[in-house]
Amino acid sequence: MTALTLALSKGRILEDCTPLLTAVGIAPAGDASRLLRLPTQDANVELLVIRPTDVPTYVEYGAADLGIVGKDILLEHGGEALYEPLDLGIARCRLSVATQKDSPLVKGGLDAAGSQRLRVATKYPEMARRYFSARGQQVEIIKLYGSMELAPLVGLSDVIVDLVATGNTLRANGLVEIVTICESSARLVVNKAAMKMKHAAIRALLDRFTLAVGNV
Ligand code: AMP
């Protein structure tokens, strides 16, 4: 059998996709919270556990044949060089604009900013830029690497663009979602050359994923 390497996003996707990996027959055989490279129940499939933003790069360069990564990451960092054959339906969330609950933007929406140039704190500068530019709204983007919810509370920004799942984190910090930019969920991606060179093995694994997605 052809050996296959699957790059997994550590963090929420890794946590959420463990039942799916088990159903596919490729549960990690080792400590996925520490090891960066580990075998699975299937001797022909190994896992790489890496930062979500690095998954498209590993798969694009063929260091991994396949990957599991959020649509948010593919949209922000580019996934055009990859096949994206399957929505795994896990790690569901949405990319939204949020602001403090007493902001006039809560009632009036983004239009209430008028000619004010909003400051937008986000880990998703590309998506934010594209969204506001499509609205024809001038904004200043402030790139952050985490804890976006803090930015409006301390006056660093007027709004944030961040992932929302249950909404609990926003609520706990006195923030309100005002617009949804897009929906996201974990996607299976495949290196284009591997899809040709290792077609039978990848097709078989894709079929196992497709079956498992319907059943998990
Ligand atoms: P929640 O409180 O359930 O709305 O989750 C929001 C927090 O979890 C924010 O800090 C998000 O950045 C993060 N988050 C939510 N969903 C995801 C996801 N699918 N992938 C990565 N981070 C997420």
Side-chain angles (χ1 to χ4, degrees):
M1 264 293 275
T2 316
L4 294 177
T5 301
L6 172 73
L8 265 181
S9 303
K10 69 168 113 181
R12 183 161 312 213
I13 287 190
L14 175 60
E15 288 159 26
D16 284 10
C17 80
T18 306
L20 182 64
L21 296 180
T22 305
V24 171
I26 55 168
D31 183 356
S33 65
R34 280 177 212 284
L35 293 171
L36 301 177
R37 183 175 196 181
L38 70 172
T40 69
Q41 294 169 271
D42 182 334
N44 296 307
V45 181
E46 78 162 343
L47 301 177
L48 307 180
V49 181
I50 56 182
R51 280 177 69 106
T53 46
D54 289 337
V55 169
T57 309
Y58 273 70
V59 179
E60 186 182 333
Y61 282 87
D65 302 300
L66 305 105
I68 296 182
V69 63
K71 183 69 179 174
D72 54 307
I73 303 287
L74 294 171
L75 290 169
E76 177 70 20
H77 299 274
E80 302 80 15
L82 309 169
Y83 288 124
E84 190 193 311
L86 195 59
D87 182 346
L88 300 177
I90 53 172
R92 283 185 189 280
C93 57
R94 50 198 185 271
L95 188 70
S96 296
V97 185
T99 190
Q100 281 181 287
K101 61 174 186 273
D102 56 3
S103 160
L105 301 179
V106 173
K107 244 195 175 153
L110 289 170
D111 290 340
S115 59
Q116 184 200 348
R117 192 160 181 249
L118 290 178
R119 288 211 292 198
V120 181
T122 186
K123 204 159 66 171
Y124 296 87
E126 262 317 301
M127 300 276 284
R129 198 167 285 124
R130 261 184 260 154
Y131 177 73
F132 285 102
S133 132
R135 282 180 49 82
Q137 191 162 11
Q138 291 255 332
V139 294
E140 182 181 348
I141 308 271
I142 301 172
K143 162 95 195 210
L144 293 179
Y145 292 87
S147 306
M148 259 71 65
E149 296 84 5
L150 186 59
L153 307 184
V154 295
L156 177 59
S157 73
D158 302 296
V159 300
I160 61 171
V161 168
D162 194 16
L163 297 182
V164 183
T166 60
N168 289 339
T169 308
L170 290 182
R171 261 190 302 281
N173 289 289
L175 301 176
V176 176
E177 201 175 350
I178 48 176
V179 188
T180 299
I181 297 179
C182 67
E183 308 279 338
S184 178
S185 55
R187 306 296 161 95
L188 191 66
V189 291
V190 183
N191 171 275
K192 287 191 172 170
M195 191 67 162
K196 289 202 188 86
M197 310 289 289
K198 303 183 180 180
H199 188 264
I202 290 181
R203 192 67 259 163
L205 192 62
L206 283 179
D207 289 346
R208 280 154 69 188
F209 266 104
T210 306
L211 203 66
V213 166
N215 293 327
V216 170

